[in-house]
Amino acid sequence: VGLTVFFSWRNANKTLRSAHTLKIAEMRQSWINSLRDAMSEFQSYGVTPGVSQSTERKFYELGTRIELLMNPKDPDYDELHKCLYQFLAVNDLNGKYSAN
């Protein structure tokens, strides 16, 4: 009986770890998708002709969303953060295309 309980416990533990790993992977993919969506919307919004980004709340809202979704421990964080603010600071369309 003791061996049966051990194997039952071990199998349940493996199943629980697999479910936990799968859930973490799903959450990570959702986070990546959210960051990608925000970045693509930010960039396309930023280079749309005729839109004054300096007065558009949505443009800054997207920038803030990207900042909140970025991982400060990522080795590329500082560079991405710098690029984000450069893109926000440019006022002319040619500058936006260059920053893009």
Side-chain angles (χ1 to χ4, degrees), residues 2-3 14 16 30 34 42 49 51 55-56 59 75 81 88 99-100:
L3 200 52
K14 283 182 181 181
L16 183 60
S30 177
S34 295
F42 176 81
V51 174
T55 61
E56 294 294 327
F59 189 63
H81 195 261
L88 284 168
N100 192 26

Side-chain angles (χ1 to χ4, degrees), residues 1-15:
V1 174
L3 200 52
T4 303
V5 171
F6 170 75
F7 284 119
S8 178
W9 174 85
R10 187 180 72 178
N11 290 339
N13 193 24
K14 283 182 181 181
T15 301

Side-chain angles (χ1 to χ4, degrees), residues 3-4 13-14 20 36 54 60 66 77 84 90 92 100:
L3 200 52
T4 303
N13 193 24
K14 283 182 181 181
H20 182 258
R36 284 180 178 163
S54 63
Y60 287 94
I66 292 167
Y77 175 84
L84 183 69
V90 178
D92 64 285
N100 192 26

Side-chain angles (χ1 to χ4, degrees), residues 43-76:
Q43 287 181 291
S44 63
Y45 196 90
V47 295
T48 302
V51 174
S52 173
Q53 291 83 7
S54 63
T55 61
E56 294 294 327
R57 180 175 181 247
K58 180 70 174 175
F59 189 63
Y60 287 94
E61 189 177 303
L62 289 165
T64 300
R65 183 175 303 143
I66 292 167
E67 276 189 297
L68 292 172
L69 287 168
M70 289 186 332
N71 180 0
K73 294 178 182 176
D74 188 300
D76 297 323

